[in-house]
């Protein structure tokens, strides 16, 4: 079992990853969006999003599998058997004091690292899981979140390049899951701008907005989406009108509650 703190580097989060990942905010398929986005960059068979609240309660926010409902079934057994009390990620996060500023960590665990045989059998052996890599988010309000990507026996083990990719994408995962949890807990979430992005915009309008959030110009967005510049400008105009903003600067300021860091200030890892 290894764990290390994420530190800033200069890599840019792929805009396509950001587009796919944020599409799941406020929907039952958050983990599915994360898994789909990550599979464009590296192999992964499952994804789970677990929240450890300040009161110690553990909840499965979202789960997804590349095939069938394996992740959902395993998560249900995990929760029913209180495997969170054996989970090295959850135990570690529960012991950590709330930081003054948000922190992001990465952990890597093989199936054989799980000491409890029942936990290992139900959550690793039976579903054929070889290992997991987790993005661990510690928030000042005491909330703690684990976004985990798994590989089954059909895949090779995670390597240093995989860790680099996952840490580079960690800011988007952190922003998306924080917004998702906030939307689920706040009665007024329907009035927030990130909720409007999901509920008011058509698919193409959302894609254009996502690329703008990723720091792309309208011309670059047109090239990435295979559209004419005039078409992108039309989608941009319609999206801005629906969201009540006039410029890209206003959009970024209004979406401060969803701080997607995809403009070149990515993250890396300091390995012990």
């Amino acid at each position: 079992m290894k764990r290390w703190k994420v530190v800033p580097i200069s890599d840019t989060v792929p805009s396509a990853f950001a587009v796919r990942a944020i599409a799941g905010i406020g929907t039952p398929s958050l983990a599915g969006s994360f898994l789909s986005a990550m599979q464009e960059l590296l192999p992964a068979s499952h994804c789970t999003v677990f929240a450890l609240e300040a009161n110690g309660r553990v909840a499965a926010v979202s789960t997804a599998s590349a095939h069938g409902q394996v992740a959902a079934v395993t998560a249900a057994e995990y929760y029913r058997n209180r495997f969170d009390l054996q989970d090295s990620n959850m135990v570690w996060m529960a012991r950590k004091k709330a930081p003054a500023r948000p922190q992001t960590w990465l952990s890597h665990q093989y199936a054989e690292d799980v000491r409890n045989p029942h936990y290992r059998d139900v959550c690793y052996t039976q579903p054929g899981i070889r290992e997991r890599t987790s993005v661990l988010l510690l928030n000042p309000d005491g909330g703690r979140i684990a976004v985990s990507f798994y590989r089954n026996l059909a895949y090779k083990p995670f390597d240093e390049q995989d860790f680099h990719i996952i840490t580079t994408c960690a800011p988007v995962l952190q922003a998306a899951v924080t917004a998702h949890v906030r939307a689920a807990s706040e009665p007024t979430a329907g009035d927030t701008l990130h909720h409007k992005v999901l509920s008011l915009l058509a698919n193409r309008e959302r894609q254009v907005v996502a690329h703008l959030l990723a720091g792309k110009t309208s011309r670059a967005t047109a090239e990435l989406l295979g559209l004419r510049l005039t078409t992108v400008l039309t989608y941009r105009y319609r999206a801005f009108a629906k969201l009540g903003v006039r410029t890209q600067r206003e959009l970024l300021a209004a979406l401060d509650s969803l701080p997607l860091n995809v403009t070149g200030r990515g993250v890396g890892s300091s390995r012990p």
Side-chain angles (χ1 to χ4, degrees):
M1 174 70 185
K2 296 180 180 179
R3 188 180 297 111
W4 59 98
K5 191 175 182 180
V6 169
V7 296
I9 61 169
S10 59
D11 282 11
T12 301
V13 178
S15 58
F17 177 89
V19 172
R20 286 179 177 267
I22 70 172
I25 299 173
T27 75
S29 57
L30 180 69
S33 294
F34 287 175
L35 181 60
S36 175
M38 192 60 72
Q39 284 176 327
E40 294 296 316
L41 305 177
L42 54 82
S45 56
H46 305 73
C47 176
T48 60
V49 182
F50 279 88
L52 178 63
E53 300 175 0
N55 61 8
R57 187 179 67 178
V58 174
V61 177
S62 185
T63 64
S65 302
H67 305 287
Q69 299 296 318
V70 175
V73 173
T74 303
E77 288 298 303
Y78 175 99
Y79 191 73
R80 186 176 69 85
N81 288 280
R82 292 305 310 272
F83 288 144
D84 57 292
L85 301 178
Q86 307 292 331
D87 188 332
S88 58
N89 281 341
M90 292 301 172
V91 172
W92 178 81
M93 290 196 296
R95 292 174 178 171
K96 295 286 288 185
K97 293 182 179 179
R101 297 180 179 180
Q103 291 184 2
T104 304
W105 295 68
L106 233 71
S107 72
H108 177 236
Q109 176 178 276
Y110 288 104
E112 53 264 33
D113 294 332
V114 179
R115 295 181 179 180
N116 183 288
H118 185 38
Y119 173 28
R120 183 173 61 248
D121 179 60
V122 171
C123 294
Y124 288 84
T125 304
Q126 291 184 26
I129 297 297
R130 176 200 299 276
E131 58 186 316
R132 77 176 179 189
T133 297
S134 305
V135 179
L136 308 177
L137 312 173
L138 307 178
N139 295 320
D141 63 1
R144 287 143 288 182
I145 296 167
V147 180
S148 299
F149 295 97
Y150 302 79
R151 281 185 172 170
N152 60 28
L153 298 175
Y155 297 106
K156 65 178 184 179
F158 287 106
D159 58 24
E160 291 296 327
Q161 180 62 22
D162 296 322
F163 296 141
H164 182 82
I165 291 172
I166 294 173
T167 52
T168 299
C169 295
V172 172
L173 295 172
Q174 180 175 13
V177 74
T178 300
H180 181 87
V181 171
R182 184 189 301 118
S185 61
E186 294 182 355
T188 58
D191 295 330
T192 61
L193 193 56
H194 70 259
H195 182 83
K196 291 180 180 178
V197 170
L198 297 167
S199 61
L200 298 181
L201 302 189
N203 184 53
R204 278 298 194 188
E205 294 167 350
R206 188 188 302 178
Q207 289 178 337
V208 168
V209 166
H211 282 296
L212 295 177
L213 288 173
K216 303 299 181 182
T217 64
S218 295
R219 187 175 299 278
T221 298
E223 294 177 358
L224 289 168
L225 295 178
L227 301 173
R228 293 182 179 180
L229 176 59
T230 53
T231 302
V232 167
L233 291 175
T234 298
Y235 285 131
R236 172 176 168 155
Y237 173 80
R238 291 176 181 172
F240 282 14
K242 292 178 181 179
L243 298 175
V245 299
R246 294 172 297 176
T247 65
Q248 186 170 352
R249 184 183 296 274
E250 287 186 8
L251 175 68
L252 294 172
L255 281 172
D256 185 57
S257 62
L258 185 60
L260 295 183
N261 180 17
V262 291
T263 58
R265 294 181 301 163
V267 297
S269 59
S270 57
R271 297 296 301 276

